[in-house]
Amino acid sequence: MQPCGILNRKYAQDMAIVRTKLQWGLWIAFLIVLFLLPVFVSPSWLMFLNQTMITVITVMGLQLLVGFCGQLSLMQSVTMAVGAYASTIIARTFGFPFWLAVPCGTLAAGVIGLIAGAPSLRVKGYYLALATLAAHYIIVFVIAHSPMEITGATIGLEVPAASFGSFVFQNDQSWYYLILAITLISGLFAKNLARGKIGRAFVAIRDNDLTAEAVGINIFSYKVLAFFICSLFAGLAGSLQAYYIGFIDTSQFTLWNAIWYLGMIVVGGGGSILGVIFGVAVWRLLEQGALLAGPVLTPILGGAIFPLLNAVFGLVIIAFLLFEPRGLVHRWELFKASYRLWPYSY
Amino acid sequence: MVTSEILISGIVGGVLTGGLYGLLAISFILIYKSSGVLNFAQGEMAMVGAYIIFFTLAQLHVPVVLGLVLGIVLAGLFGWVLHETALRPLIGQPVFSMMMITVAFSLFFRGITPVIWGTAILPAPELVPLTTLSIGTVRFSLVGLVSFGCACLAATGFTIFFKFTRRGLLMRTVCEDHQLAEATGISVRRILDQVWILSAIVAMVGGVLVSQTTGVGDTAANLALKALPVALLVGLESIPGALLGGVIIGVSEILASLYLDAFTCGGMMETFPYIVMLLVLIIRPYGLFGLKRIERV
């Protein structure tokens, strides 16, 4: 909804993401804050921010698949694993540099996504979720039982240091700027994809696939495209995470993570790129809170901190599904509408 | 080299484990058939059932029969609460919401049980003696035999119940179409409540039998994830088929681990059911005995 008195006189105005002077001001202030953040926050929080942004990238991909196209997927974390392993193996065996290995890993994950999207030709709904569940177990099995010198089997692989020319990304600050730039670019990409022709086709398929087909949308190719794009995001996030942490093994990419990513979409709200950021932020803050509360709670609970966190996540998802199925982004829209109309009620 | 003795006792073990899978698959199928919800928290219902029995027998120290009856009542109550609080308000929501709420419940129960009972695996109260029987050279456990018996009992019992009783007929009507059932004067809500209660009790029996050999912990929940391929293989529809599917998966995973583990350095036992599941989904999504639905995908 537009503020009162703001009218679109040109098509360019209608299409703009940032519309008013106030929005421009807020955006620029926000970006300045983001760029200055590493100066003020402690190293542990910088690490938190980096991992949060990596999660934002992968959940944005999942949002395009689940929130926009309506296809269920439980394999997002294993697709990240494919990206991470592919870029690491390429870098280790063929000596590809960082800036070439990451796109290769991304593309490898995308190809796996294309293959995993193939069952959507025949099944939908729960059955598709089960197909991706099977794919999760099978890919983890393949990684863990491949020869030791290729995938490191169950032990894992060391990832070479990320460098760009002679510049080596070694501290959290340089990583912060790199991941921030990638997150902003992929966010813009996702946003524009979602509101363009492809995104609208996705929404049409989600809302009613028969109608979508009747208006000339090739359902199968768009579904597979959604899987492909989703997996590209996952592969990018996985490759970045591999290089950022410097070590990969299968225990970083569990089924829990895949479920958590879906939970973030529920909390943030389906069908919105902004919702992804809300969802991931809430989730990661809860996680960080549990980490900070860990030393206090350990004497009471014993080793049950991680299970307790799972219980809390479960309750959060249940509460959102029952009381605010449209997620936090819907609350945010309501808030924006109310302050634009203030002091009138409508 | 796989000798014939290892092969035969492997197959017998697979059949008996398959009974357990079948039992858990029946509890999946009961709910999916009647309400169209694939309950991802079914394994956690089994796990909670095992904890409930642990609570009544080992913590309250009530006599065994009373403890089991109390356990069944509590498990039924548990299924009822789950349906009324979570699934019922979501009627008419997309599949994603339905799936996420059951997944959220599985997260919640997996999280809350270690908080209440501790993270260690607890010794299960012994209901079936842990003896090993042998016929000739084939050895198998009494627990396995009892669980296979329970599965056969459940399969025949539910088949008779659905075919020959009035309540079973009402449930089949609800399976067919909720709105039509409502129009003929059946209370869909009450029937679904009853289905959830039954399913929770079946899951509890499965969970308790699993806990007899492995102790009370999240193993029951993990085992139920392997009952998903079973339910899918038979098409999420047929109850006697679930037992057959369980046996097929139980035997085939043993065979896979006997013959293929040498090439893959182990782990085939855990993964083979999912390979079967993926193949079923691609080749014959409605399963062996399921109704072939005519729909556009």
Side-chain angles (χ1 to χ4, degrees), chain B residues 76-107:
Chain B
L77 195 69
F78 176 56
W80 181 77
V81 168
L82 211 57
H83 175 239
E84 282 292 321
T85 57
L87 273 301
R88 178 122 196 111
L90 283 188
I91 282 181
Q93 296 273 351
V95 176
F96 175 61
S97 306
M98 293 280 196
M99 183 184 102
M100 279 317 287
I101 201 140
T102 59
V103 167
F105 268 108
S106 79
L107 271 180

Side-chain angles (χ1 to χ4, degrees), chain A residues 66 72-74 119-135 137-138 141 144-146 209-210 213 219-220 223 255-256 259-260 262-266 270 283 301-304 306-315 317-318 321-322 325, chain B residues 32 36-40 44 85-87 89-90 93 95-112 114-115 118-119 225 228 232 235-237 263-268 270-271 274-275 277-278 281-286 292 295-297:
Chain A
V66 176
L72 298 176
S73 168
L74 283 167
S120 67
L121 175 65
R122 299 210 53 180
V123 293
K124 65 181 176 186
Y126 284 121
Y127 288 79
L128 191 59
L130 291 179
T132 55
L133 181 74
Y137 281 107
I138 293 170
F141 173 78
H145 291 88
S146 289
D209 48 355
L210 292 182
E213 195 163 28
I219 294 187
F220 179 59
K223 278 182 182 173
L255 188 61
W256 293 127
I259 290 171
W260 287 3
L262 288 172
M264 292 172 197
I265 289 179
V266 171
W283 209 271
L301 290 172
F306 181 75
L308 182 68
L309 189 64
N310 256 345
V312 172
F313 284 160
L315 274 186
I317 299 177
I318 294 165
L321 283 173
L322 290 180
Chain B
Y32 184 80
V37 175
L38 187 59
N39 183 13
F40 280 87
E44 282 69 19
T85 57
L87 273 301
L90 283 188
Q93 296 273 351
V95 176
F96 175 61
S97 306
M98 293 280 196
M99 183 184 102
M100 279 317 287
I101 201 140
T102 59
V103 167
F105 268 108
S106 79
L107 271 180
F108 175 69
F109 290 126
R110 267 178 197 254
I112 206 71
V115 173
T119 42
L225 271 181
L228 264 178
L232 204 72
L236 289 165
E237 300 272 349
F263 304 106
T264 61
C265 328
M268 211 60 202
E270 283 72 39
T271 317
Y274 297 105
I275 298 176
M277 178 156 96
L278 197 60
L281 279 169
I282 292 170
I283 298 163
R284 202 179 153 95
Y286 43 91
K292 187 174 184 182
E295 63 171 6
R296 303 282 311 203
V297 176

Side-chain angles (χ1 to χ4, degrees), chain A residues 126, chain B residues 28-39 83 87 91 98 174-175 178 188 192 195-196:
Chain A
Y126 284 121
Chain B
F28 272 109
I29 290 170
L30 278 174
I31 289 179
Y32 184 80
K33 243 184 116 165
S34 56
S35 59
V37 175
L38 187 59
N39 183 13
H83 175 239
L87 273 301
I91 282 181
M98 293 280 196
V174 171
C175 301
H178 286 192
V188 172
L192 287 185
V195 167
W196 274 80

Side-chain angles (χ1 to χ4, degrees), chain A residues 204-219:
Chain A
I205 292 172
R206 177 194 68 190
D207 289 344
N208 191 329
D209 48 355
L210 292 182
T211 327
E213 195 163 28
V215 296
I217 293 166
N218 185 337
I219 294 187

Side-chain angles (χ1 to χ4, degrees), chain B residues 25-273:
Chain B
I26 286 173
S27 72
F28 272 109
I29 290 170
L30 278 174
I31 289 179
Y32 184 80
K33 243 184 116 165
S34 56
S35 59
V37 175
L38 187 59
N39 183 13
F40 280 87
Q42 202 73 47
E44 282 69 19
M45 283 163 82
M47 177 182 77
V48 171
Y51 273 110
I52 287 175
I53 291 295
F54 176 81
F55 173 69
T56 57
L57 291 185
Q59 289 181 318
L60 292 184
H61 296 294
V62 292
V64 174
V65 179
L66 186 66
L68 289 182
V69 171
L70 198 63
I72 287 174
V73 170
L74 282 176
L77 195 69
F78 176 56
W80 181 77
V81 168
L82 211 57
H83 175 239
E84 282 292 321
T85 57
L87 273 301
R88 178 122 196 111
L90 283 188
I91 282 181
Q93 296 273 351
V95 176
F96 175 61
S97 306
M98 293 280 196
M99 183 184 102
M100 279 317 287
I101 201 140
T102 59
V103 167
F105 268 108
S106 79
L107 271 180
F108 175 69
F109 290 126
R110 267 178 197 254
I112 206 71
T113 44
V115 173
I116 299 172
W117 281 285
T119 42
I121 290 179
L122 304 166
E126 192 178 283
L127 298 172
V128 184
L130 282 174
T131 48
T132 318
L133 307 175
S134 54
I135 299 172
T137 54
V138 183
R139 296 162 64 79
F140 51 92
S141 69
L142 185 63
V143 180
L145 198 65
V146 169
S147 52
F148 190 75
C150 281
C152 291
L153 204 69
T156 40
F158 278 114
T159 312
I160 291 169
F161 174 70
F162 280 117
K163 263 215 160 82
F164 299 112
T165 66
R166 183 177 153 72
R167 196 141 298 277
L169 184 68
L170 294 185
M171 285 185 184
R172 270 160 56 208
T173 320
V174 171
C175 301
E176 203 65 35
D177 191 312
H178 286 192
Q179 277 157 2
L180 286 181
E182 197 78 57
T184 52
I186 301 166
S187 167
V188 172
R189 180 178 189 166
R190 266 181 52 202
I191 295 290
L192 287 185
D193 276 342
Q194 288 161 4
V195 167
W196 274 80
I197 290 169
L198 278 180
S199 169
I201 291 170
V202 173
M204 184 201 75
V205 173
V208 170
L209 287 168
V210 173
S211 73
Q212 288 298 307
T213 45
T214 61
V216 182
D218 63 355
T219 36
N222 295 334
L223 204 70
L225 271 181
K226 278 163 92 176
L228 264 178
V230 174
L232 204 72
L233 177 66
V234 298
L236 289 165
E237 300 272 349
S238 154
I239 282 172
L243 191 58
L244 181 65
V247 171
I248 293 174
I249 294 279
V251 172
S252 65
E253 72 177 17
I254 293 277
L255 292 182
S257 87
L258 282 179
Y259 288 102
L260 298 177
D261 265 358
F263 304 106
T264 61
C265 328
M268 211 60 202
M269 183 107 171
E270 283 72 39
T271 317
F272 194 73

